[in-house]
Amino acid sequence: MFSKPAIGGALVIAALFGATLPQAVQAQAVLAQAVQAQAVPAKDAAKDLILAQGADPLGFNPTRFSAPNTSYLHQLYDTLVEIGPDGQPQPALAESWERSPDGLSVTFKLRPAKFHSGRPLTAQDVVYSVRYHLDPANAANLLARLSAVKGVEALDDRTVKLTLSSLAPGLYDLLSALFILDEKAVANIAQQDAGSGPFVLKSWTPGVSYTMERFADHWSNDKTKPDRITVRIVPDDAAGAALLQTRAVDVLYTAGPLALAQLKDAAGTKIARIKRAPRTHYLALNTSRPPLDNKLVRQAISHALNREMITSVVYNDFASPSCQPWAESHWAYAPAVDTMCGYDLEKAKRLMKESGVGPFTMTVNTSTDSYAPGSVDTAQILKEDLAALGITLNIATYEPAKARELILNANFDMLLHNYIEGGNDPQFIIPSAIYGPTKGRTKFTSPAFEAIVDKAGKTLDLNERKAIYADISKLIADEAFMLPFAHEFRPIPMANGVKNFAMDGSGFSLLQQVEVAR
């Protein structure tokens, strides 16, 4: 299927891109000291948890799923249900629920709960939150995925009913990421949370840190271990590693190749691999921009994408190469699909010749490692291979806020990015803005794709769903409009004393039960 190249690790990155690892680490020593001196609250020996991540949150709106936001979502906000390690829904704000015999409605009974403002949370707040996510003006990540939600109504203060237009097999995974908002607090959501979660936002200094403190009135407060969580903003990879080694932070939430190499055998630290929540890296091709509307050109690019090289060199062997939307550990994974996308420059050249398209120039959008880890380094590898096909690739790198704007508006030729929801039900990913099929980022659609995605939403039988999603994966690999190339089982460096760090299937951190032995 896929075989590893005979090179790998961070030292290869240094060789490819003009620096050595020791030089890079040494060059960041002064920066690490400066970051360490930032004005953040001092650690309490038992009850403080301190994380470092590479970028500021894009405000505190929980409808925006991006790497800088995933460290606060489940801390500041509650959902109706949570998905347990066994993949089954568990009570959260909803202490119980009942699905109708035809499967087209679900009624939830809410537990007593309060927002951080002190206002009681009611069924009407759930109605408001669902409608907020469904309003296109709010640009919620869940918008396309909630297409099966036909209606929502409050039956009384503690009972809410969802009406569906189809069976929506991935409904509970969707609801585990639909965070409930305080309607009275959303006006200031760019700077302050509007949630009911186990922690409340206490301070935010953009570019420096933000701090969340235990919410004493939370319904599960007895399970909360930290009294305070501080998230420090550390854009530099090596500086973040240095902070962990000196115990200025407990967890390095975003770690690139340099940090991983630096911490691999560092005393007092460990690197956890979060297998429940793989980060899937992809190359998206905007099919509305010629010649990417030509299937043969797209297939040529897919065979020129050296997935094995990228996983080894860029992701330091913490990833596995693939050309389907889900990792090998997922029930929807179809082994045969990964035989359709092997690296083969000669085949890519033949496909380009068949396409009748001559040499052309295009731009690939990338971002910082805090938002799109490894995208810049991947683009450098891709640029060399596409040159052999007569494709000149320009590389444009954007800061997270601008990168997100361009992604949401599908304003790119090619895009290197990732999604973190690969541990969820496939219906959480397809249909979505990532893959389409009607208003996706790549602008690709076809009657066959629309029909098969529609079919996937009409059965709850697991064996039927496996067969349907295998066909969907084959179609995606063949049409080559979206090119998944690596599933990264997130490496999270942390101090040896950190216990119970976890993520949910969407890749959002679960910090309520984390303990730190110092």
Side-chain angles (χ1 to χ4, degrees), residues 303-318:
H303 285 291
L305 182 63
N306 196 334
R307 292 167 170 85
E308 299 91 338
M309 173 77 77
I310 292 165
T311 54
S312 182
V313 171
V314 178
Y315 298 107
N316 207 31
D317 290 326
F318 280 98

Side-chain angles (χ1 to χ4, degrees), residues 273-412:
R273 295 188 70 175
I274 311 299
K275 292 190 175 181
R276 188 181 173 196
R279 184 196 299 274
T280 300
H281 300 273
Y282 64 81
L283 174 67
L285 308 180
N286 191 333
T287 63
S288 70
R289 299 188 179 183
L292 298 180
D293 57 343
N294 187 314
K295 177 178 174 178
L296 293 174
V297 172
R298 300 195 303 268
Q299 289 178 331
I301 292 171
S302 180
H303 285 291
L305 182 63
N306 196 334
R307 292 167 170 85
E308 299 91 338
M309 173 77 77
I310 292 165
T311 54
S312 182
V313 171
V314 178
Y315 298 107
N316 207 31
D317 290 326
F318 280 98
S320 58
S322 181
C323 62
Q324 54 189 299
W326 20 76
E328 192 171 354
S329 57
H330 200 289
W331 61 259
Y333 177 82
V337 176
D338 277 340
T339 66
M340 299 173 63
C341 62
Y343 176 67
D344 189 337
L345 269 184
E346 292 308 311
K347 183 174 182 178
K349 291 175 184 177
R350 291 196 302 271
L351 288 165
M352 281 299 297
K353 187 174 181 179
E354 273 186 66
S355 75
V357 174
F360 64 92
T361 298
M362 283 210 149
T363 298
V364 61
N365 286 17
T366 66
S367 187
T368 60
D369 275 351
S370 62
Y371 187 63
S375 60
V376 176
D377 293 344
T378 297
Q380 294 285 355
I381 295 173
L382 182 63
K383 180 175 182 174
E384 290 192 20
D385 284 326
L386 291 189
L389 307 184
I391 302 173
T392 300
L393 191 65
N394 296 323
I395 301 172
T397 303
Y398 298 96
E399 292 302 313
K402 183 62 176 179
R404 176 177 168 79
E405 175 192 333
L406 295 172
I407 290 169
L408 290 177
N409 294 319
N411 187 7
F412 58 84

Side-chain angles (χ1 to χ4, degrees), residues 109-324:
K109 181 63 71 173
L110 304 181
R111 69 173 75 247
K114 289 183 180 181
F115 285 111
H116 297 155
S117 64
R119 190 171 69 82
L121 188 154
T122 70
Q124 190 55 48
D125 293 302
V126 176
V127 171
Y128 169 79
S129 299
V130 172
R131 291 175 178 169
Y132 187 95
H133 281 77
L134 287 170
D135 184 348
N138 295 320
N141 286 72
L142 286 184
L143 176 60
R145 311 173 211 203
L146 289 167
S147 59
V149 176
K150 185 178 178 181
V152 57
E153 60 179 317
L155 303 183
D156 58 43
D157 279 353
R158 290 186 58 197
T159 311
V160 63
K161 180 180 180 181
L162 275 181
T163 306
L164 308 171
S165 60
S166 65
L167 289 177
L171 176 66
Y172 297 113
D173 288 71
L174 292 170
L175 294 178
S176 75
L178 196 154
F179 296 94
I180 304 305
L181 294 152
D182 183 349
E183 181 179 1
K184 308 299 184 184
V186 294
N188 196 36
I189 205 166
Q191 291 83 33
Q192 182 62 50
D193 82 81
S196 63
F199 295 87
V200 58
L201 183 68
K202 283 298 183 181
S203 66
W204 178 35
T205 304
V208 179
S209 68
Y210 64 92
T211 297
M212 303 173 281
E213 293 184 358
R214 177 197 291 255
F215 180 39
D217 289 333
H218 193 259
W219 50 270
S220 68
N221 184 47
D222 60 322
K223 297 179 181 177
T224 302
K225 300 303 182 183
D227 282 340
R228 178 168 59 186
I229 300 172
T230 298
V231 181
R232 301 178 65 167
I233 311 306
V234 185
D236 183 80
D237 205 29
L243 290 174
L244 180 60
Q245 287 179 281
T246 59
R247 298 300 178 274
V249 300
D250 302 306
V251 178
L252 186 54
Y253 192 66
T254 50
L258 285 176
L260 293 172
Q262 186 173 338
L263 295 168
K264 184 177 181 181
D265 298 309
T269 66
K270 59 187 176 183
I271 300 177
R273 295 188 70 175
I274 311 299
K275 292 190 175 181
R276 188 181 173 196
R279 184 196 299 274
T280 300
H281 300 273
Y282 64 81
L283 174 67
L285 308 180
N286 191 333
T287 63
S288 70
R289 299 188 179 183
L292 298 180
D293 57 343
N294 187 314
K295 177 178 174 178
L296 293 174
V297 172
R298 300 195 303 268
Q299 289 178 331
I301 292 171
S302 180
H303 285 291
L305 182 63
N306 196 334
R307 292 167 170 85
E308 299 91 338
M309 173 77 77
I310 292 165
T311 54
S312 182
V313 171
V314 178
Y315 298 107
N316 207 31
D317 290 326
F318 280 98
S320 58
S322 181
C323 62
Q324 54 189 299

